Amino acid sequence: MAEKRINLVVEGYPDAQAATKILRYLNFSTETVFNRRGKSRIDEKLAGFNSAARSTGAYWFVLRDMDTDADCAPDLRAKLLPAPAASMCFRVVVRAIESWLLADRETMAAFLAVALAKITGWPEALPNPKQYLIALARTSRRKEICEGMVPREGSGAKEGPEYASLLGQFVDQNWRPEIAAKNSDSLSRCLRSLRAWK
Amino acid sequence: MRINRLRLDNWRNFRAVDAPLQKRVFLVGPNASGKSNFLDSLRFLQDLAIDGGGLREAVNRRRGVAKIRCLAARRPPDVAIKAEIVDDSEKSAVWTYHVVFNQDNNSRPIVKQEFVARGGETLLQRPDKDDRADPERLTQTHLEQVNANKEFRPIVELFRSIRYLHIVPQLVRDPGRYVAKDKDPFGGDFLEQVVRTTPKTASARFRAIAAVLQAAVPQLKEVKIERDETTGEPHLMGRFENWRPGAGWQREDQFSDGTLRMIGLLWAVFEGSGPLLLEEPELSLHAGVIRHLPQMFAKVARKKGRQIIISTHSPELLSDPGIAPDEVLMLQPDAEGTRVGTAANDAEIVALLEGGLSIADVVIPKTAPPNAEQLAFSFESD
């Protein structure tokens, strides 16, 4: 049977890379990537993606960060999309995509060039995983990581000028969803839910 | 080395601006606000410093001091450019180059002042006693004088290395439309420039370009330059993946606008290490490609130590969350000439960005012409 092609809806570039990698790991392939640039722009059209899934039967995988919008992922999922279509997989990341990436501690430590011991084994407990990751990058031994991922002091930016592309490259080349899932409950549930389509 | 700060007095749209420049700069403003004129001040410094350039040539290319001078100029009506230059790689002193010029009674451009300093040390201060003894000397700057600029050669080299690019695909396809001029930034002699590069460098660069181009034009597998055997004209050849094997080589006249622009852009990026001035690099490109340009520019700036100054109208380009507000220069026209300021200096913008909006969300509305909707209204009375 031909591999299933799945439409992706994500908030940003690193998220798109992570979702694509997950699909690849599960032997699915990516059809169209809808990079919505921000969760609010996912939320406002979520019903539209869902009704497309319902009417055409095509597969949709929507990934949205929980951030601090709720205390637990199921609540937020139920609130944003009370009646998901059968071919709609809407998953909430606890609390942001960086948690899932940090959950593969070994490859992340190698990529950031920081000691493994510095990386938490419980990334879902981080209130702001992106800030945590940038703080780690600041202590990196690689100049490329410091300059690319950390915002220049006084620049007013929240991330470095190459944050998304460097992180995207890491996801594509190094990140292992199956290993990361051991440290992240929300990722593990996401994989389980996608496997149901096999 | 890069230009850290630029001050312009009476330069075209700008009566008096003082702008800090980061390694990567985005110029944003409505049409005719002076984005190209801002870039032109840097090209003017380049024209002063290059072989065959100099004050007279630089002014002539712009059709005289009167065309350069800001319409809102007040007394004294001198035109001035002041550049502050730093070297990010070392904690060296800051260089300053300041030139003030006007014209004499015969409309000849004349240096009124020229000043160079390194750290607190003045290396050149004109007019000096030689100038007073022989005022004819003031028709030239010392940037163009090899004998006179030994002390500040690094900044002469920096100005020389400035590159400006605004590829017009039609001119690349049909260079005959343009009167051949050396180093035409619009692409009229783009292929000639490419052909003049040593074959080894050119083919290495094309391999690098083709690799990057894969991301934007996946069907394009290979790029090379070839001279037509009968006419001797250089042609850009691209091998496209095709259902017919062997039928994939095409000439530049078959390339799409976007492909040609992308090749020109990448060629410029790989060529040289001096400041690169790009005029609306988003033109003809797909939104999904434009989104990734800012990070590509950041990578080039970091790896090659190259400063990149980009004019843009693209919300797509400005929505990259890695763009810092101090990298964005906003140009706002005013009766007294265009004002220039960084987005970081606007408390409201900073507050909005803090609240989660992107640079594009904020800066595009802030620089939009106030009555643009009249475009649609103006046909109603007919």
Side-chain angles (χ1 to χ4, degrees), chain A residues 6-195:
Chain A
I6 294 168
N7 291 310
L8 263 186
V9 181
V10 290
E11 307 188 5
Y13 175 69
D15 312 62
Q17 292 293 91
T20 307
K21 183 79 176 246
I22 289 169
L23 293 180
R24 208 159 73 209
Y25 164 67
L26 296 172
N27 279 324
F28 293 127
S29 65
T30 306
E31 179 72 42
T32 303
V33 180
F34 294 79
N35 180 348
R36 301 291 296 157
R37 289 197 311 223
K39 60 188 175 188
S40 58
R41 299 187 54 216
I42 293 182
D43 297 351
E44 65 190 28
K45 301 293 180 214
L46 196 50
F49 295 124
N50 194 51
S51 66
R54 181 165 290 137
S55 63
T56 66
Y59 291 89
W60 288 80
F61 176 27
V62 180
L63 212 49
R64 181 211 193 268
D65 287 354
M66 180 165 85
D67 295 327
T68 48
D69 299 342
D71 289 328
C72 71
D75 284 357
L76 187 62
R77 277 173 49 218
K79 187 179 138 203
L80 293 172
L81 191 62
S87 61
M88 163 62 78
C89 178
F90 172 47
R91 302 307 306 185
V92 168
V93 184
V94 178
R95 296 196 174 253
I97 199 70
E98 284 81 357
S99 320
W100 284 12
L101 306 184
L102 284 159
D104 182 0
R105 294 173 67 229
E106 291 81 13
T107 58
M108 182 56 93
F111 163 70
L112 291 178
V114 299
L116 180 62
K118 276 196 193 169
I119 300 181
T120 176
W122 198 13
E124 295 201 339
L126 297 168
N128 189 335
K130 180 170 176 176
Q131 223 169 53
Y132 177 88
L133 199 151
I134 289 175
L136 280 174
R138 191 170 276 126
T139 68
S140 170
R141 294 185 299 268
R142 276 170 68 197
K143 194 170 162 233
E144 181 188 17
I145 296 293
C146 299
E147 286 185 11
M149 299 190 68
V150 181
R152 200 164 22 82
E153 215 182 303
S155 70
K158 288 185 182 163
E159 59 184 61
E162 295 171 65
Y163 181 83
S165 53
L166 288 168
L167 205 54
Q169 207 175 338
F170 159 74
V171 173
D172 185 53
Q173 294 169 3
N174 311 107
W175 185 62
R176 301 164 300 175
E178 74 282 17
I179 304 288
K182 291 179 186 151
N183 287 325
S184 163
D185 190 45
S186 65
L187 173 56
S188 156
R189 285 164 188 267
C190 171
L191 295 179
R192 207 177 311 152
S193 152
L194 285 168
R195 276 200 183 98

Side-chain angles (χ1 to χ4, degrees), chain B residues 155-200:
Chain B
I155 63 171
V156 179
E157 293 300 330
L158 177 76
F159 292 160
R160 273 188 191 159
S161 69
I162 291 172
R163 289 287 174 275
Y164 172 83
L165 185 83
H166 184 28
I167 287 264
V168 178
Q170 288 77 359
L171 292 178
V172 179
R173 289 198 199 96
D174 186 6
R177 287 197 208 181
Y178 200 78
V179 186
K181 197 173 97 178
D182 204 27
K183 288 217 159 38
D184 171 26
F186 304 106
D189 70 341
F190 174 66
L191 297 178
E192 275 298 338
Q193 277 189 50
V194 172
V195 113
R196 258 181 263 140
T197 316
T198 63
K200 207 175 148 195

Side-chain angles (χ1 to χ4, degrees), chain B residues 17 42 47 72 79 92 162 187 190 218 245 253 258 273 333 353 362:
Chain B
V17 305
L42 298 170
D47 285 344
V79 183
S92 70
I162 291 172
F190 174 66
D253 52 2
S273 58
L353 297 173
V362 182

Side-chain angles (χ1 to χ4, degrees), chain B residues 11-250:
Chain B
W11 176 268
R12 299 193 184 261
N13 304 51
F14 310 102
R15 194 160 81 82
V17 305
D18 191 348
L21 302 178
Q22 300 295 334
K23 251 194 222 167
R24 186 177 64 162
V25 182
F26 299 90
L27 299 175
V28 190
N31 298 115
S33 59
K35 294 185 292 297
S36 303
N37 287 341
F38 189 89
L39 295 178
D40 191 46
S41 67
L42 298 170
R43 296 170 70 196
F44 186 85
L45 294 176
Q46 180 198 10
D47 285 344
L48 290 180
I50 50 171
D51 295 334
L55 181 64
R56 183 183 298 192
E57 175 62 20
V59 169
N60 281 348
R61 281 185 188 180
R62 291 162 181 80
R63 297 190 292 134
V65 172
K67 297 275 186 217
I68 295 173
R69 187 188 294 125
C70 178
L71 293 173
R74 301 279 194 282
R75 301 254 148 221
D78 297 340
V79 183
I81 302 178
K82 185 179 180 183
E84 211 175 84
I85 294 138
V86 294
D87 191 336
D88 287 317
S89 61
E90 46 187 272
K91 293 255 174 287
S92 70
V94 176
W95 294 87
T96 305
Y97 178 79
H98 191 188
V99 62
V100 182
F101 63 96
N102 208 323
Q103 58 187 12
D104 65 8
N105 294 336
N106 300 318
S107 300
R108 285 191 315 168
I110 291 290
V111 175
K112 300 293 280 239
Q113 284 177 56
E114 192 177 22
F115 174 81
V116 182
R118 185 183 181 173
E121 188 195 353
T122 301
L123 302 177
L124 177 73
Q125 171 102 58
R126 298 179 70 199
D128 55 18
K129 64 179 191 323
D130 294 334
D131 295 325
R132 280 185 282 271
D134 177 12
E136 196 61 21
R137 290 170 55 95
L138 290 169
T139 59
Q140 295 186 328
T141 66
H142 278 200
L143 274 187
E144 58 202 271
Q145 299 281 336
V146 183
N147 295 330
N149 62 31
K150 186 161 160 271
E151 297 277 308
F152 50 95
R153 197 65 53 77
I155 63 171
V156 179
E157 293 300 330
L158 177 76
F159 292 160
R160 273 188 191 159
S161 69
I162 291 172
R163 289 287 174 275
Y164 172 83
L165 185 83
H166 184 28
I167 287 264
V168 178
Q170 288 77 359
L171 292 178
V172 179
R173 289 198 199 96
D174 186 6
R177 287 197 208 181
Y178 200 78
V179 186
K181 197 173 97 178
D182 204 27
K183 288 217 159 38
D184 171 26
F186 304 106
D189 70 341
F190 174 66
L191 297 178
E192 275 298 338
Q193 277 189 50
V194 172
V195 113
R196 258 181 263 140
T197 316
T198 63
K200 207 175 148 195
T201 311
S203 68
R205 209 174 279 165
F206 275 131
R207 269 199 305 279
I209 288 175
V212 184
L213 210 56
Q214 275 286 300
V217 193
Q219 341 52 306
L220 183 53
K221 296 297 173 197
E222 223 179 309
V223 188
K224 65 177 180 185
I225 193 106
E226 236 176 48
R227 270 200 194 276
D228 187 301
E229 281 179 12
T230 33
T231 64
E233 277 174 8
H235 286 289
L236 196 59
M237 308 290 287
R239 190 170 64 78
F240 287 81
E241 202 170 61
N242 195 288
W243 56 272
R244 265 184 308 176
W249 284 102
Q250 293 184 351

